[in-house]
Amino acid sequence: MEYTKPMHEDAFRAGRALGLDHLKLGVWLFIGSEVMFFGGLIAAFLFYKVNNPTPESALLDVGLVGINTFVLLASSLTVVSALAAVGRGDVASMNLYLIATIVLGVAFLSGQAYEFVSLFRHGLTLSSSVFGSSFFTLTGFHGLHVLVGVAWALSTFFRGMRGNYTRDEHIGVEVFGLYWHFVDIVWIVLFTVIYLI
Amino acid sequence: MKSLVSRLRQPAPAWLRYFGWNTDHKVIGVQYLVTTFFFFLVGGALAMVVRTELLQPGVDVVNGTQYNRVMTNHGSLMIFLWVIPVLAGFGNYFVPLMIGARDMAFPRMNALSFWLIPPGGLLMIASFFAGAAEAGWTAYVPLSIRTPDGQTLWALGVIVLGTSSILGAVNFLTTIVTMRAPGMTLWRLPLFVWGIIATSLLVLSATPVLTAGLIMVALDRLVGTQFFAVAGGGDPVLWQNLFWFYSHPAVYIMILPGMGIISEVFPVFSRKPIFGYRMIALSSLAIAVLGLTVWAHHMFTSGMDPRLRIPYMVSSMVIAVPTGVKIFSWLATIWNGKLRFTTPMLFAMGFISQFLIGGLTGIFLAAIPVDLHVHDTYFVVAHLHFVLFGGSVSAIYAGLYYWYPKITGRMYDERLGQAHFWMNFIGMSLTYLPMFLAGLQGMPRRVADYDPNFLVPNQLASFGGFLLGISVLPFLYNAFVSLRSGKEAGGNPWRALTLEWQTSSPPPQHNFEQEPVITHGPYDYGEGHLAPHPAGAPAAGE
Amino acid sequence: MKERSILLVIFAALILTAGGYLAATQLHLMPFQASTRAVEVDRLFQLLLGITAVIFLLVEGALVYAALRFRRKPGDDTDAVPVHGNNALEILWTLIPAAIVVFVGIYSVQVLQDIERPQENTLVVEVIGRQFTWEFHYPEDNVTTSELHLPVGRPVLFQITAEDVIHSFWVPEFRAKRDATPGQMAELRITPSQPGRFPIRCAELCGPGHAGMISEVVVEDQAAYDAWLAAAKTGPSDPVEIFTQFGCAACHTLAAAGSNGQVGPPLDGLAATAANRVPGLSAEEYVRQSILEPGAHVVQPFANGLMPADFGQRLTDEQLDALIEFLLAN
Ligand code: HEA
Ligand code: HEA
Ligand code: CUA
Ligand SMILES: [Cu+2]
């Protein structure tokens, strides 16, 4: 039988042979489950959007949110740059890029807060209709994820200041980057689903 | 002052580590097993209330509201606090041992997964003091929006428990991918590990969707969102879709690791390699993938589009194929073997014969015209207990007996074990077989009162149920007493080939004295990998 | 194994299979067949029973046989002859179940299409579920009742919905069930084929009174049905009928109406209690208020809001008066 033959041993130190760090794999898996979480919320939103189209979606300000989307996209760019910087061993630039990321993240959240408040003024709230419920729940949970991302960026920044990351050892930054890009991509999907179609 | 400090410095007694934060996967595994067994007893006690109420028609012991609370929490505890987490407990203890790792990939997250369970359980039980959840374990809206506050605690409890399983699944998959010992190729993984892989994939894909749904229910109840408020345009069927998108895969989350345990037990006590190793491993993956596509078979009578029912019927029935592969492979494994009827072996054989009944009746349920008659009747209740009790719980018992020597270092008492098996087997058949008939004849489920026509099946079921209740006594007695008075087990009392047996019982802190190197498959009996008479030769079951 | 014992095993398996199939198809597990649909559903059920009985007997037979035949000899510590697999066998036991499943699937779809096919001359009945009663509306004749009557032999289309939570309309003798979901209209078709009285049960958990949400369908010949219809246009006038049909019985115990509901307070001896419930209200005024505005005075320890508040619209004045008189007299 095939599986009784002795094999080359070290190649099967599995993950290590695959070049996977366990932290990175863990975060990837966790992100997978997050995709399904948002999948559930998006399905609910779409279901209601298709089944009872309300005029309320006209209240949404695509222009403002478009700018906000741009802000978030830019933050992904700064994260890429931060990672590139630490890859070169340039921790100082990495810290700068992280600061930029945090600023952009906070800007996005402020934009979202502004959007929410102006929608409240127009009478769209969590409890005003299924549209309101699914809209605020979906975007709210995304906002929460951005908030967590900002906190994570802060902690990465402080570690960077303390000199925890080097050219060869910066898995913490990589993992943070994975999460941040994920949150960003979710937003692209949400923007398309909620504001564009 | 100084004496206090030095007293604190002294190493705590060994048993104390089971009661606190500890990152050793073996300690966590035991914590899981013991805690969840406690919840099994509580859920079982609730079942005793159900069976007492149903001993005769009429509302006598509990009223309608109380009955619904008892029934709801019986189902919820059994699923969310017993079968799902106890299997994760086995995974915790044995996955690292079986793949030759020192611990799980994320030991602290592992401890966190466990420590989410007691609060989740407390939330659920505490709900009894706030007007417990009473909408069934399926918590269908809008009923579950209107019930008292306990329902909110219930929903939060389930979210917490779901988070625990998601973290566990991340941990299992990472461990299995990155921490295998040299030579432990994919095709040499023990089948229990394959079961955990398939289960973890299901947890990652399905549990978050339930979380999303539960958040909607909780928001509807707490802040007045309109997700399921019909007047505001909400749709109750959406909840059913979200719930079953998780809860159908959940039934495979509850059976695949159990089937893995069965695949461990048969080869050892048949002294034969498992038959069709790859097919069994692949069938777990096939069941997991198919399992994600069948959820609406719970909704054939509901408001879904009638045309959509047929694909769900077909995919449900197709699951019979990979499941059959497992059953036939197990039969082929024991065929021409040298069988030893130890307690785990008996439970494994009991598993086949009773899970089979549950699985075959699943085909009736999947056939839409029949389901439109038997949906929400005792036929479904019988099906679910045959697969969950006859299936999952039998497998859990098989695992508890099989690995008891490994975990404790002592042998359990074989005669008590066999008595337990027979009480369990007879009680099981007596309780649930009559329910099929009651359901077909027209008895709906979730009722505190029933038509006197159904008296006989209900009395049989109640007596069987009480026998099941009593049957845990020999088990508990055995488990406690054998801790001290059981025979020393030695490292490998069953002369098994999988890695967890190639170390002492219980294993040392880092599992193996030296990193093991794997050169053959996990079930290569009869290929000369074992010395015929190792130290600590078989003690029990002679 | 020797050739002879292989033959023996195959022979035993064949006997088991044929015997099991025949026995299973003779079993009568289903209730009375009161609709054409029941006949078709039972045919499918019986077929499934036959097929699964065969599989069941083969697997259990193999298990028991193995347990008896392949016991380890005492003192034998050696391993068995290793066999890791057999491709032909594995393919076989994948393909045969697959074929069975395809067959069963196709047959089920056919039955499904048969039982749900629209028919000529269909009687439409709207069904409304609410905690914990059923209401039936006949749009053709503009009759609303809480008792379901159907002429034998005429196809029926139920249009099913609910007002508060999900219920499920089920007549076991018709083999037909469909959820009543608030905000949605579900369809269910049957053709009653036998006269008789059959229970209607709510099959979906709908609250504390779920077990008592039982009603009755009366299948009768056209003449009796027409007579009933004519009488039903005026609605029930007998107080006991009102009490059961409007669902009071599901929640209240009242010996005179033969009910034993447990959701609300028992109504036996109401005349005495009602006089003392609210100072300033006579027994008659109090009972009227209890029915029209249940929230005005809530009897402890029962919860407010359980008793429906819309009886004012659903009962005619005559019915209400008759009901109150009846309640105070018992
Ligand atoms: C361990 C848990 C478990 C498992 C494994 C299964 C397995 C299956 N279940 Fe079950 N099911 C539940 C737990 C489980 N179920 C629960 C808890 C409920 C109720 C939920 C609630 O409402 O509260 C439920 C309800 C349920 C319903 C909804 C009923 C209703 O409410 O109306 C349906 C409908 O299709 C169904 C179908 C199936 C099928 C087709 C399988 C298949 O996977 C079975 C496959 C196995 C076999 C068929 C036997 C072995 C195969 C062979 C020997 C090969 C040859 C066989 C053939 C060719 C047929 N189940
Ligand atoms: C794995 C899951 C599992 C298990 C093991 C069981 C075990 C049992 N179940 Fe349950 N059951 C479900 C899962 C399970 N059940 C689910 C999901 C439902 C559906 C719920 C719903 O509709 O929402 C259900 C519903 C259900 C019903 C239908 C209720 C209704 O529809 O109205 C009935 C009725 O008889 C029942 C009975 C039993 C019995 C007698 C046992 C016995 O096997 C139990 C045996 C008892 C013990 C082993 C413990 C005995 C211990 C003591 C007596 C000591 C007490 C000690 C302490 C308090 C510390 N169960
Ligand atoms: Cu209405 Cu149950
Ligand atoms: Cu299912």
Side-chain angles (χ1 to χ4, degrees), chain A residues 4-5 13-14 48 127 133, chain B residues 180 188 226-227 235 515 524:
Chain A
T4 64
K5 275 186 229 147
R13 259 174 208 255
Y48 283 136
S127 53
S133 302
Chain B
R180 283 168 290 152
R188 286 177 182 168
Q226 305 281 305
F227 286 110
D235 186 340
E515 183 168 54
D524 290 347

Side-chain angles (χ1 to χ4, degrees), chain B residues 244 247-249 251-252 291 294-298 316 383:
Chain B
W244 290 116
S247 289
H248 181 82
V251 312
Y252 297 116
V294 308
W295 75 89
H297 68 203
H298 296 271
S316 305
H383 160 73

